[in-house]
Amino acid sequence: MSDHVYKKIELTGSSCVSIQDAIENALAKASETIKNMRWFEVIETRGHIDDGKVKHWQVTLKVGFRIE
């Protein structure tokens, strides 16, 4: 196995559908410009409440990608 070096960045994705959708939105957008993404961890979850119901999700992630 080769030695690798990784960089870690922080992203925040949002969705009016679900937490998972917010995560997938953030990763999909980041993958347009960042290569070799390998893992993520959810570090914060927030939501917007309107009339007693969740209307919007925001999820902050740390994403690791391999440096070439």
Side-chain angles (χ1 to χ4, degrees):
M1 174 182 252
S2 300
D3 292 333
H4 299 289
V5 174
Y6 295 88
K7 179 167 179 67
K8 190 166 39 170
I9 60 170
E10 192 169 288
L11 304 172
T12 301
S14 62
S15 170
C16 55
V17 176
S18 68
I19 292 171
Q20 181 169 342
D21 198 49
I23 293 168
E24 291 175 1
N25 288 343
L27 295 174
K29 187 64 176 176
S31 72
E32 293 176 9
T33 56
I34 299 170
K35 296 186 287 183
N36 302 317
M37 290 191 302
R38 295 293 182 246
W39 53 265
F40 73 92
E41 60 181 296
V42 174
I43 60 171
E44 187 173 42
T45 305
R46 292 179 299 280
H48 172 242
I49 303 167
D50 188 21
D51 199 24
K53 296 181 181 177
V54 176
K55 292 295 181 181
H56 202 85
W57 294 98
Q58 265 191 345
V59 180
T60 302
L61 315 167
K62 286 189 179 180
V63 177
F65 62 96
R66 186 172 44 84
I67 304 279
E68 294 182 343

